[in-house]
Amino acid sequence: MAIATPATRLKNQWLAHLALEFGRTEHGTQLTRSKRNGPLLVQKAFYPEGRDCAHIYLLHPPAGIVSGDELRVTMDIKRAAHTLLTTPGANRFYRAREDLSIGDPQQTQITTLHLESLAKCENFPQETIVYAGAEGVNTVDIHLADESIYLGWDITCLGLPSSQQPFVTGSYTQLNRLFCENKLVYHDRITISADNNLLTHPAGLAGNSVFATFIIYAPGKLANNHQSDALVESLRERVEQVQAGSKISISNLRGLLIIRYLGHHAQECKDLFIQLWLIARPICLDKTAIQPRIWHT
């Protein structure tokens, strides 16, 4: 059997890195710097709600991650800048290669966000679809200052059950970490594989194929228990109104709000998260929620 050499592994890898910087200028929030390597890019910033908030669409033309790929997105949001990041379509971790002689099967995506004081970031990618047989790792690291604000979600779909392609082989790890002034305040990691039975175990996903997390951190607006509890109550009321109490849970960890979805439908999850965002955004950001146009195409 042939042994993979470093040159062979490099040939079968696609290493992509996109670094973005946003600054607050006299013309509002601007994309002040962009550097990329590989198939990751952004179009120009859009301003559907005025110059204060730049809407950015992250593009990945291959539309999926295969064995050996490593995609890195780094965003630096300077003082008082505000950006909303989304994607035009679903991300995909395709089935990993089985022939290990031609390279590492692992597929990696790493998103790192740095927010300075008073900076605001809304990170709302479309869902991530993990095909059976994938070997995926998706990491989101958020670094905040005391007065910065973050709202962001990730939505993961395991397999394609509607096409009779359930996630019965492979492995997928989702890691979310949030740091404030370099102190780790939230760490959430789950690895789903055929070996650990978490997909079907009652203490895991209990047979559900879609799981998601929506993080809200706005210390200036949710500085005390009364404010954060009032927002949680409003969010829970909305969940009950749409009869989603069996699929959505909301936790208040000392002002850090963690909203989770567990179910079978990515679009249902996204619709529910948007409804909760419509409530949370005016409170946390003093802005009415305006959905990116690309969500309607």
Side-chain angles (χ1 to χ4, degrees):
M1 182 174 66
I3 301 299
T5 66
T8 302
R9 289 196 296 270
L10 183 61
K11 187 181 297 183
N12 289 284
Q13 284 181 318
W14 204 332
L15 307 180
H17 183 205
L18 177 65
L20 305 174
E21 180 184 285
F22 295 89
R24 176 77 179 188
T25 73
E26 61 181 4
H27 303 293
T29 296
Q30 300 277 309
L31 177 58
T32 52
R33 183 176 300 174
S34 176
K35 182 178 181 181
R36 71 181 184 94
N37 178 47
L40 282 171
L41 64 152
V42 295
Q43 297 176 323
K44 66 178 182 179
F46 297 94
Y47 296 93
E49 52 183 313
R51 305 297 298 187
D52 284 345
C53 178
H55 286 218
I56 296 292
Y57 302 159
L58 176 62
L59 306 178
H60 179 223
I65 303 174
V66 300
S67 290
D69 285 1
E70 181 180 288
L71 275 60
R72 289 180 176 268
V73 177
T74 303
M75 291 176 55
D76 290 316
I77 305 171
K78 300 302 183 182
R79 181 180 174 85
H82 181 190
T83 185
L84 186 154
L85 175 69
T86 189
T87 56
N91 187 22
R92 291 172 169 83
F93 284 86
Y94 290 117
R95 181 172 62 86
R97 64 170 65 98
E98 298 178 1
D99 184 357
L100 301 185
S101 69
I102 59 174
D104 188 347
Q106 185 166 294
Q107 306 144 268
T108 304
Q109 179 169 277
I110 301 170
T111 303
T112 305
L113 309 175
H114 294 270
L115 281 69
E116 291 187 358
S117 181
L118 301 177
K120 309 172 188 69
C121 178
E122 298 172 90
N123 180 30
F124 300 139
Q126 306 271 22
E127 68 272 17
T128 293
I129 300 172
V130 186
Y131 284 64
E135 295 291 340
V137 177
N138 189 30
T139 298
V140 181
D141 280 338
I142 308 144
H143 298 264
L144 305 176
D146 275 336
E147 298 180 74
S148 50
I149 296 173
Y150 178 80
L151 292 83
W153 66 52
D154 58 79
I155 302 170
T156 302
C157 311
L158 296 172
L160 301 169
S162 60
S163 300
Q164 287 71 56
Q165 298 179 46
F167 190 76
V168 293
T169 59
S171 174
Y172 181 74
T173 296
Q174 177 69 47
L175 173 61
N176 294 332
R177 293 181 294 199
L178 189 146
F179 303 81
C180 186
E181 298 292 346
N182 297 318
K183 179 182 178 181
L184 180 65
V185 297
Y186 178 72
H187 181 283
D188 185 47
R189 181 182 185 273
I190 185 170
T191 296
I192 304 295
S193 71
D195 298 329
N196 64 22
N197 201 33
L198 281 180
L199 181 58
T200 57
H201 197 281
L205 302 189
N208 292 283
S209 59
V210 178
F211 66 97
T213 303
F214 184 1
I215 298 173
I216 298 175
Y217 190 68
K221 299 295 184 179
L222 306 176
N224 57 56
N225 290 336
H226 174 73
Q227 291 170 308
S228 57
D229 288 348
L231 176 54
V232 168
E233 183 177 352
S234 296
L235 297 174
R236 286 175 175 163
E237 285 178 359
R238 185 57 181 158
V239 169
E240 291 304 317
Q241 288 171 1
V242 296
Q243 299 180 337
S246 63
K247 299 173 182 177
I248 292 281
S249 67
I250 303 173
S251 301
N252 183 0
L253 307 178
R254 297 180 298 277
L256 171 64
L257 305 190
I258 307 297
I259 304 169
R260 297 188 186 277
Y261 169 91
L262 191 59
H264 292 285
H265 304 286
Q267 188 59 52
E268 175 188 61
C269 174
K270 181 181 170 184
D271 290 343
L272 289 169
F273 277 4
I274 288 174
Q275 291 187 56
L276 300 181
W277 175 58
L278 293 174
I279 296 170
R281 195 186 203 230
I283 295 171
C284 297
L285 295 170
D286 297 319
K287 285 181 176 290
T288 301
I290 297 179
Q291 297 184 37
R293 288 175 292 180
I294 203 160
W295 288 357
H296 303 293
T297 60

